[in-house]
Amino acid sequence: MYNFYTIHHEMGHCHYYLAYRIQPSIYRSGANPAFHEAVGDTIALSVNTPKHLHSIGLLSTDDRTEEGDINFLMRQALERVVLLPYALVIDKWRWELERGDVAPKDFNSRYWQLRQDIQGVAPPVKRSERDFDPGAKYHVAAGIPYIRYFISFLIQFQFHEALCKEAGYTGPIHLCDIYGSKEAGTKLRQMMELGRSKPWQDVMEVITGQRSIKTSAILSYFKPLMDWLKLQNMDNVVGW
């Protein structure tokens, strides 16, 4: 399934390139870096649904059960929600270093402090400043900003929700599959064709009707899982 997702993510980049090829060269890019990452993931939200997997023969049935819904959403959350705090840690740590707020002797300890504070995780073995654990992340070593993934994992749900509405879908948003909808495809193409010829807020408005990043779509998508988790953890202390 990971390769299935990755193919759609990378093909999203390719179709974005093809869409904005009509723009002058200076505008041949995503409206902002997060848009480029979000397009393929938006499609993946549809093709990962049980309905779509059944339609292409990867699931024997698409019969819906409450347990099946929760398992599906839990898998989606482990792939998407858990990345949000990690993506924030990476660039929050990097920005602090670039501002000179962290001395070289504290580079590694500050990284793990942020991971504990924001993610709630700790190193499995003792670490020191002789180690440089953030450098194990390619985007750190290569100097590639990571906040684009944080933003993309929010706006892809905005895109998905908007395209589902365009397709005339009215059911639970986590089960929406826009495959075959010319209306949704046209809306997505109209957004991609703009490249970065307009401010990203204008491009966002083309596909969602909104001019800002909102969390309502991701919260709506995972609401059944959140309700279930609240019930399961009613007698537990949640947090760190």
Side-chain angles (χ1 to χ4, degrees), residues 5-6 8-9 37-48 72-87 149-150 152-154 156-157 160 218 221-222:
Y5 154 76
T6 301
H8 286 86
H9 175 86
E37 301 300 335
V39 167
D41 281 358
T42 298
I43 301 303
L45 288 174
S46 283
V47 301
N48 279 342
F72 170 71
L73 284 170
M74 182 66 80
R75 189 193 72 191
Q76 291 287 82
L78 290 173
E79 291 178 353
R80 287 172 166 78
V81 176
V82 297
L83 182 130
L84 289 168
Y86 175 69
Y149 298 99
F150 179 86
S152 77
F153 273 56
L154 295 177
Q156 66 185 248
F157 290 95
H160 179 64
I218 189 173
Y221 185 96
F222 286 109

Side-chain angles (χ1 to χ4, degrees), residues 34-79:
F35 274 61
H36 234 301
E37 301 300 335
V39 167
D41 281 358
T42 298
I43 301 303
L45 288 174
S46 283
V47 301
N48 279 342
T49 60
K51 173 188 174 184
H52 189 84
L53 295 176
H54 174 66
S55 72
I56 60 176
L58 291 180
L59 276 184
S60 59
T61 178
D62 64 346
D63 291 344
R64 185 184 174 195
T65 64
E66 181 181 2
E67 182 180 8
D69 270 13
I70 296 302
N71 287 340
F72 170 71
L73 284 170
M74 182 66 80
R75 189 193 72 191
Q76 291 287 82
L78 290 173
E79 291 178 353

Side-chain angles (χ1 to χ4, degrees), residues 179-228:
Y179 180 76
S181 170
K182 293 183 179 180
E183 295 79 8
T186 298
K187 180 70 71 173
L188 180 60
R189 186 180 68 252
Q190 288 172 344
M191 182 274 286
M192 294 193 297
E193 286 178 345
L194 291 172
R196 63 175 180 183
S197 63
K198 294 185 177 182
W200 71 263
Q201 294 90 339
D202 293 349
V203 181
M204 170 75 81
E205 189 172 19
V206 168
I207 189 171
T208 68
Q210 302 165 334
R211 294 184 56 80
S212 61
I213 299 167
K214 297 184 181 297
T215 59
S216 56
I218 189 173
L219 291 174
S220 175
Y221 185 96
F222 286 109
K223 186 178 186 305
L225 178 62
M226 282 295 297
D227 292 342
W228 183 83

Side-chain angles (χ1 to χ4, degrees), residues 128-193:
S128 73
E129 295 311 313
R130 292 174 61 86
D131 307 301
F132 186 62
D133 297 315
K137 183 63 179 173
Y138 168 78
H139 297 72
V140 171
I144 300 174
Y146 209 68
I147 199 66
R148 66 181 66 182
Y149 298 99
F150 179 86
I151 301 299
S152 77
F153 273 56
L154 295 177
I155 64 176
Q156 66 185 248
F157 290 95
Q158 279 182 268
F159 293 174
H160 179 64
E161 185 177 69
L163 294 176
C164 289
K165 290 179 181 177
E166 195 70 24
Y169 180 79
T170 58
I173 198 67
H174 66 279
L175 296 177
C176 170
D177 176 15
I178 64 170
Y179 180 76
S181 170
K182 293 183 179 180
E183 295 79 8
T186 298
K187 180 70 71 173
L188 180 60
R189 186 180 68 252
Q190 288 172 344
M191 182 274 286
M192 294 193 297
E193 286 178 345

